[in-house]
Amino acid sequence: MFLNRRTFTASVGAVAGLSQLIPIGRANANASTPLFVATWNFGLASCRKSLEVLQQSGSLLDAVELGIQVAEADLKNDSVGVGGAPNADGVVQLDACFMDGATHRAGSVAGLENYPHPISVARRVMEKTKHVLLVGDGAAAFAQSQGFKKQELLTEEQKKKWEAWKSKQPAPGAAPPNHDTIALVGLDANGHLAGGCSTSGLAYKLAGRVGDSPILGGGLYVDGEVGAAGATGIGENIMRSCGTFLIVEFMRNGMEPTQACKAAIDRIAKSERKPISELHINFLAIDKKGRWGGAGTDNSYEIAVVTSNSATLEKPFLVK
Ligand code: ASP
């Protein structure tokens, strides 16, 4: 989200009474485990679900998957799962990935149509196949073979918005600014790290366009020995520099999470040769010690941080 979607006040009120505002730059703290961190204000409901699942089941992988499912099922969220904005042809195509730091296994789906929970299909790719990434019809056939239920993902509201956009005869791929991917990373008390990322991608993208979100090292990366990082924003700017892989490598070399996110943005800005204000890239990271942080180029960017005794929305470091 970088222009107009929810006001900060409204979003904080909507998600929970526990939410609180923390000034920009404060987001790099020690936190106890278990720890869940996710992108955007809606990440708070997802992280809360993740904590609940972890406390009940003890499974970090279930916690990550079911937490992300909350955002995917939210009809008000127009960038994730059902209710997500369609592509330029009016079709909702979803991207997701899932990564387990303990085993270095991962699974992804891209351009998946008619299945509301791509995060679950991505996890199934990881667990049931020898592959990492399935796309388009192949991903849908796999989802069907695994018993996932089909569903129409385009809501009436999104259809009307798309028709209005289309009626202006926009250039192909000329999408209005819109991004709100969920990337959620978690660390349990045993030092187990995992994460997932799920999105409908940029609104009115060209059919078949795949962003950073299902690409390991793009929208998400988890290294069981170091930490995890997630991304939201204009995927092309993130993918060209393997943004989340870079952040994890910076942490491996000793940086704290916020410092690593900021360093990745600096690197990307240099490589992209674009002003910071045009990048629209936002990151979060956690390390194996339970420290969390984030940095982004969008003023509206915020991250949800949930532990067993706190649930807050935080303003990550703003790179200008
Ligand atoms: N990163 C996503 C993409 O480029 C968009 C988003 O963050 O909402 O597909």
Side-chain angles (χ1 to χ4, degrees), residues 34-300:
L35 168 68
F36 292 97
V37 181
T39 49
W40 302 114
N41 49 42
F42 55 77
L44 197 53
S46 287
C47 287
R48 281 202 167 113
K49 178 69 177 182
S50 294
L51 181 67
E52 184 191 311
V53 172
L54 183 71
Q55 285 171 338
Q56 280 166 8
S57 71
S59 165
L60 182 68
L61 300 190
D62 288 352
V64 169
E65 178 187 352
L66 297 178
I68 290 176
Q69 276 193 6
V70 171
E72 291 177 332
D74 180 359
L75 290 175
K76 292 192 296 302
N77 188 320
D78 66 6
S79 299
V80 183
V82 64
N87 65 17
D89 295 345
V91 178
V92 181
Q93 293 188 320
L94 302 178
D95 298 337
C97 73
F98 194 96
M99 190 160 192
D100 177 12
T103 58
H104 202 63
R105 290 178 309 160
S108 301
V109 287
L112 179 66
E113 296 175 16
N114 299 315
Y115 288 91
H117 292 299
I119 195 65
S120 303
V121 185
R123 180 179 173 186
R124 209 62 76 83
V125 171
M126 176 182 92
E127 290 177 339
K128 300 284 181 190
T129 80
K130 291 184 175 166
H131 308 307
V132 171
L133 172 60
L134 296 180
V135 304
D137 290 348
F142 172 73
Q144 187 175 26
S145 75
Q146 292 295 308
F148 288 101
K149 295 251 173 326
K150 277 180 117 166
Q151 186 180 329
E152 174 56 61
L153 304 178
L154 184 64
T155 58
E156 274 308 308
E157 192 188 337
Q158 286 300 331
K159 192 170 171 217
K160 278 190 195 130
K161 283 186 185 167
W162 171 76
E163 282 167 350
W165 172 80
K166 192 79 182 158
S167 69
K168 292 180 195 140
Q169 300 183 312
N178 171 52
H179 57 73
D180 262 7
T181 294
I182 184 156
L184 184 152
V185 295
L187 171 71
D188 74 12
N190 302 317
H192 183 181
L193 286 151
C197 187
S198 180
T199 193
S200 54
L202 296 181
Y204 316 144
K205 60 194 177 184
L206 286 175
R209 177 266 188 187
V210 174
D212 59 313
S213 307
I215 305 300
L216 303 172
L220 177 83
Y221 196 72
V222 183
D223 184 305
E225 298 303 313
V226 178
T232 178
I234 295 183
E236 284 74 4
N237 292 341
I238 297 163
M239 300 162 86
R240 275 190 289 263
S241 298
C242 302
T244 55
F245 181 77
L246 194 57
I247 291 167
V248 171
E249 289 309 294
F250 283 149
M251 292 194 293
R252 189 192 306 281
N253 292 328
M255 287 189 195
E256 290 181 1
T258 291
Q259 204 184 0
C261 292
K262 191 180 165 306
I265 292 174
D266 290 344
R267 169 79 70 83
I268 293 171
K270 202 169 164 205
S271 309
E272 293 287 328
R273 298 172 180 83
K274 281 181 198 152
I276 296 277
S277 61
E278 287 175 23
L279 286 178
H280 299 296
I281 52 176
N282 302 287
F283 294 117
L284 57 73
I286 60 175
D287 69 12
K288 185 121 176 153
K289 294 179 184 161
R291 295 180 298 184
W292 53 267
T297 65
D298 291 319
N299 196 24
S300 58

